[in-house]
Amino acid sequence: MKLYCHPIFTSSRPVLLFAAEAAIALEIKLVDLFAGENYQPQFGTINPNRLVPVLEDRSFRLTECSAILKYLADKAGAAQYPKDLQARARVNERMDWVNTQLSRELCYRRGCTRRSSIS
């Protein structure tokens, strides 16, 4: 399997860390985001959204960090992604919270717009 990624990108790191912890062999394809490699036509054929990470498992391509993590965990039978429906739902809940709440605040917030109530 190939993983197109850049270790500085916050969505690439969890996949790299999980693969290392679960001993999942990945061929790492570094996408140089600083040089704009993700905007080149060749990468656009890999992911039209021009984002990393992208997992390639033979002819199957998958984007989005949490989808890749779930796929790898299922493929490896990793205990971190339990088979029990309710336990798995808790993992999904926490992954969704990271993606919709924590990452939004840490990665995309542009300055603080709140005003102090103290004059």
Side-chain angles (χ1 to χ4, degrees):
M1 287 185 289
K2 293 179 192 174
L3 181 69
Y4 296 85
C5 65
H6 194 290
I8 197 142
F9 196 63
T10 56
S11 293
S12 291
R13 280 181 262 162
V15 177
L16 291 166
L17 291 169
F18 178 76
E21 181 178 313
I24 298 170
L26 294 175
E27 178 184 345
I28 304 299
K29 297 289 191 180
L30 182 68
V31 178
D32 190 345
L33 302 175
F34 297 106
E37 188 178 343
N38 52 317
Y39 294 109
Q40 298 303 312
Q42 183 179 359
F43 188 74
T45 63
I46 295 166
N47 183 1
N49 293 325
R50 301 187 186 284
L51 299 172
V52 293
V54 178
L55 181 72
E56 193 172 79
D57 188 3
R58 297 184 183 155
S59 63
F60 178 68
R61 285 193 181 130
L62 188 62
T63 64
E64 301 301 324
C65 175
S66 63
I68 293 169
L69 287 168
K70 293 168 188 172
Y71 179 82
L72 290 174
D74 274 337
K75 187 165 180 139
Q80 294 93 329
Y81 199 51
K83 299 291 182 202
D84 175 74
L85 183 61
Q86 290 181 351
R88 181 173 276 214
R90 285 289 177 220
V91 172
N92 290 338
E93 176 183 53
R94 289 181 178 112
M95 289 176 83
D96 288 348
W97 179 82
V98 167
N99 291 330
T100 62
Q101 302 299 314
L102 183 65
S103 289
R104 181 184 66 207
E105 290 297 315
L106 293 178
C107 302
Y108 301 108
R109 189 172 179 143
R110 302 273 192 233
C112 184
T113 58
R114 296 183 193 135
R115 294 183 185 166
S116 172
S117 61
I118 301 172
S119 302

